[in-house]
């Protein structure tokens, strides 16, 4: 069962504070965020380099970087949803709780766009303008959602 402050874990016969669960998800979410920025930035750099400089031929490195960027974005989005669900502010809020999920939903939209880009890169031999526009729109959605003030103060 879930109460306002505690969660009973059936398999472990243990009661856990919601604050402890929130701190666990927040730590994981913050730890993965830096690698997500690096891998996603490397993918965008490789995509633009391929599209503008190498004649558009899709390399194995580009395919793998798109796959890892998609996976990290998905993990980041799911951890964000779980983190916001177990957040103390979410539990005490009486109004619309959708405000708390704005960041996570944006990350999951970016993940969906990147999943489609990964699918297209897997099935084509050349990068088209459509793929570049989709990837850049995923990057813009990610850039909108990411809390840059936490990194740069």
């Amino acid at each position: 069962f879930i109460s306002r402050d505690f969660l009973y874990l059936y398999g472990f016969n243990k009661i856990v504070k919601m604050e402890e669960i929130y701190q666990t998800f927040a730590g994981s979410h913050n730890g993965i965020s830096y690698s997500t920025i690096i891998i996603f930035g490397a993918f965008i750099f490789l995509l633009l380099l391929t599209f503008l400089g190498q004649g558009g031929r899709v390399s194995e490195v580009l395919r793998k970087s798109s796959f890892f960027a998609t996976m990290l974005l998905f993990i980041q989005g799911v951890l964000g949803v779980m983190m916001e669900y177990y957040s103390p502010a979410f539990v005490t809020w009486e109004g619309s709780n959708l405000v708390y999920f704005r960041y996570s939903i944006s990350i999951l939209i970016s993940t969906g766009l990147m999943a489609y880009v990964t699918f297209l890169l897997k099935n084509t031999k050349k990068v088209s303008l459509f793929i570049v526009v989709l990837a850049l729109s995923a990057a813009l959605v990610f850039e909108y959602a990411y809390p840059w003030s936490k990194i740069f103060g």
Side-chain angles (χ1 to χ4, degrees), residues 32-48 62 65-73 107 109-111 113-115 117-118 134-144 146 148:
I32 292 176
S33 67
Y34 296 109
S35 58
T36 304
I37 291 172
I38 292 169
I39 297 296
F40 195 54
F43 165 72
I44 294 296
F45 176 74
L46 287 171
L47 182 70
L48 291 175
L62 184 63
S65 66
S66 72
F67 173 75
F68 285 117
T70 304
M71 287 299 108
L72 285 172
L73 281 170
I107 293 294
I109 290 170
S110 178
T111 302
L113 290 170
M114 277 301 298
V117 167
T118 302
L134 275 178
L136 290 177
S137 62
L140 284 175
V141 170
F142 175 73
E143 184 271 329
Y144 161 74
Y146 198 80
W148 295 103

Side-chain angles (χ1 to χ4, degrees), residues 2-62:
I2 298 176
S3 73
R4 293 183 82 82
D5 298 320
F6 298 100
L7 174 70
Y8 178 73
L9 300 176
Y10 287 105
F12 299 103
N13 292 329
K14 184 178 179 183
I15 296 176
V16 180
K17 286 185 177 180
M18 296 289 259
E19 182 67 29
E20 292 175 10
I21 295 172
Y22 171 75
Q23 292 299 329
T24 303
F25 282 124
S28 301
H29 186 72
N30 291 338
I32 292 176
S33 67
Y34 296 109
S35 58
T36 304
I37 291 172
I38 292 169
I39 297 296
F40 195 54
F43 165 72
I44 294 296
F45 176 74
L46 287 171
L47 182 70
L48 291 175
L49 183 69
T50 301
F51 183 68
L52 298 173
Q54 297 180 353
R57 290 184 305 276
V58 177
S59 66
E60 197 62 31
V61 174
L62 184 63

